[in-house]
Amino acid sequence: MKLAVVGGGSTYTPELIDGFARLRDTLPITELVLIDPAADRLELVGGLARRIFARQGHDGKIVTTSDVDAGVEGADAVLLQLRVGGQAARNQDETWPLECGCVGQETTGAGGLAKALRTVPVVLDIAERVRRTNPDAWIIDFTNPVGIVTRALLQAGHRAVGLCNVAIGFQRKFAAMLDVAPADIHLGHVGLNHLTWETAVRLGGPEGENVLPRLLAEHGEAIAGDLRLPHSIVDRLGVVPSYYLRYFYAHDEVVRELGSKPSRAAEVAAMEKELLEMYGDPALDEKPALLAKRGGAFYSEAAVDLAASLLGAGGSPYQVVNTYNNGTLSFLPDDAVIEVQAAVGPQGASPLPVAPLDPLYAGLIANVTAYEDLALEAALRGGRERVFRALLAHPLVGQYAYADGLTDRLIAHNREHLAWA
């Protein structure tokens, strides 16, 4: 079995490698290709990856290359984890929106739109290269904003599924609180990528006992603390929102916080420098503890599970993924991309039925879906007016003066990545 990772020079790749090594019985990889244009980083990461495989007794071959066409040729699955513009572009996404009094974040709001505009054309070009070399390969997208990128891939006819680590993080957290195995936790996870709620937590499967009320009663304070939301708000909702909902539920508070400290991108950039120095140590043959602060917890387990299911190698029968709505949420079009529990296998992902949603959540989902429609149109066709329309539609922007100012800033900061600008 051959897998390729585009963005394989990421400092987070050793987490993925560690998962591939530990879970080799679930996903028996014979060849792993790490693809990245940054040759220096790629060799450091590739060297550590080989040492991790060797330490854990994995006999798979690890290849590094900057050639996308050669790297994806013959791959059974291709994982996308790229960042167009690197941490420098992310730093801009997290700072210039604050000048207009709006959240600066890399996956939502104006910063998220900037990332989508930079990313979608690059991902579609890579996907076309995959299709030319191996049209049967699965594309697993971990590249943010996952919902918009996955929709672009699906609309272009690619065999693609989007993946996020938010759900598996909740699964592991709730399992620990209940003292059960993670596999025993089935989440009632519903919404869009980075806009989701846990409306149920069932033991044993989709029809199991819903223990969410028990979790909130016994562990509500800890859950709310992790979300950085008041315990009283989580109690009133009666569900567990994703931590990304704080950008919506406490927007002005978050803007004040972000304006008073260095950006997350600046923190990550410093961390990456330290990690790359560690990776260059030939004695290092395991992922360093510092990597846990980099983000993306449990990504490797989620990626292995999804790839194994798509390739018929095993994997869990139900997983939280990003895929076409296809009637699951009746208030959205079929071709909207939602993030829900799905039955996953070699034929792809089929969302499980979802109970009718409270208008409190359905309304925000519908609003952000409309924004994503306009964002994808801007990413595919370009133009200042399309960018403005997407920003005006976003609930974190919504005012024409903000949308105009953010449009000018977005284009100015991303001109080198936008062919039409």
Side-chain angles (χ1 to χ4, degrees), residues 241-296:
S242 157
Y243 48 84
Y244 286 94
L245 265 298
R246 187 167 182 263
Y247 297 116
F248 295 82
Y249 292 162
H251 176 273
D252 294 352
E253 178 184 339
V254 172
V255 168
R256 288 192 294 271
E257 284 179 8
L258 294 176
S260 67
K261 61 181 183 180
S263 69
R264 173 63 177 163
E267 294 176 359
V268 171
M271 203 179 304
E272 287 193 334
K273 182 179 179 182
E274 188 175 351
L275 284 169
L276 288 171
E277 290 175 358
M278 292 179 177
Y279 295 172
D281 180 358
L284 182 67
D285 57 4
E286 61 183 345
K287 62 178 184 180
L290 177 62
L291 192 54
K293 298 180 181 180
R294 173 68 176 79

Side-chain angles (χ1 to χ4, degrees), residues 288-338:
L290 177 62
L291 192 54
K293 298 180 181 180
R294 173 68 176 79
F298 306 116
Y299 162 42
S300 60
E301 284 91 341
V304 167
D305 206 15
L306 180 54
S309 294
L310 292 173
L311 299 176
S316 304
Y318 305 117
Q319 297 172 46
V320 173
V321 297
N322 286 260
T323 191
Y324 270 150
N325 177 45
N326 283 338
T328 307
L329 300 180
S330 60
F331 56 90
L332 295 184
D334 285 349
D335 65 350
V337 166
I338 60 174

Side-chain angles (χ1 to χ4, degrees), residues 61-378:
K61 178 173 69 171
I62 295 179
V63 177
T64 58
T65 181
S66 297
D67 187 333
V68 174
D69 293 318
V72 302
E73 186 173 3
D76 297 289
V78 178
L79 277 67
L80 304 181
Q81 57 172 36
L82 58 148
R83 182 183 295 279
V84 179
Q87 293 298 331
R90 175 181 179 176
N91 186 64
Q92 292 179 351
D93 294 344
E94 293 177 343
T95 51
W96 54 261
L98 298 174
E99 298 170 7
C100 296
C102 295
V103 160
Q105 212 278 330
E106 65 158 341
T107 64
T108 192
L113 176 61
K115 193 171 196 302
L117 297 182
R118 294 193 303 269
T119 304
V120 166
V122 174
V123 164
L124 289 178
D125 175 68
I126 292 168
E128 285 300 326
R129 294 167 183 264
V130 173
R131 180 150 55 189
R132 285 198 299 268
T133 60
N134 186 4
D136 293 328
W138 278 103
I139 296 176
I140 297 173
D141 178 60
F142 194 68
T143 296
N144 283 317
V146 167
I148 295 172
V149 173
T150 301
R151 187 169 179 182
L153 288 165
L154 290 173
Q155 285 188 177
H158 299 290
R159 303 183 80 204
V161 179
L163 180 64
C164 180
N165 69 311
V166 167
I168 194 172
F170 276 128
Q171 181 199 43
R172 300 304 173 90
K173 185 188 304 292
F174 296 156
M177 289 175 171
L178 295 167
D179 195 24
V180 299
D184 290 335
I185 297 292
H186 182 93
L187 299 174
H189 181 103
V190 61
L192 310 177
N193 180 241
H194 290 184
L195 193 85
T196 53
W197 296 262
E198 309 307 324
T199 60
V201 178
R202 299 191 181 276
L203 290 180
E207 307 302 323
E209 176 192 2
N210 180 18
V211 295
L212 178 58
R214 174 181 155 196
L215 275 167
L216 291 176
E218 296 179 2
H219 303 281
E221 192 73 47
I223 291 170
D226 287 343
L227 300 172
R228 300 187 65 202
L229 288 171
H231 185 193
S232 60
I233 292 298
V234 177
D235 265 351
R236 289 166 67 183
L237 294 175
V239 301
V240 179
S242 157
Y243 48 84
Y244 286 94
L245 265 298
R246 187 167 182 263
Y247 297 116
F248 295 82
Y249 292 162
H251 176 273
D252 294 352
E253 178 184 339
V254 172
V255 168
R256 288 192 294 271
E257 284 179 8
L258 294 176
S260 67
K261 61 181 183 180
S263 69
R264 173 63 177 163
E267 294 176 359
V268 171
M271 203 179 304
E272 287 193 334
K273 182 179 179 182
E274 188 175 351
L275 284 169
L276 288 171
E277 290 175 358
M278 292 179 177
Y279 295 172
D281 180 358
L284 182 67
D285 57 4
E286 61 183 345
K287 62 178 184 180
L290 177 62
L291 192 54
K293 298 180 181 180
R294 173 68 176 79
F298 306 116
Y299 162 42
S300 60
E301 284 91 341
V304 167
D305 206 15
L306 180 54
S309 294
L310 292 173
L311 299 176
S316 304
Y318 305 117
Q319 297 172 46
V320 173
V321 297
N322 286 260
T323 191
Y324 270 150
N325 177 45
N326 283 338
T328 307
L329 300 180
S330 60
F331 56 90
L332 295 184
D334 285 349
D335 65 350
V337 166
I338 60 174
E339 185 172 290
V340 293
Q341 286 278 4
V344 183
Q347 300 307 310
S350 299
L352 300 184
V354 172
L357 277 182
D358 187 318
L360 181 61
Y361 316 126
L364 187 53
I365 290 170
N367 190 339
V368 175
T369 297
Y371 151 75
E372 291 189 349
D373 290 346
L374 296 168
L376 183 54
E377 181 76 2

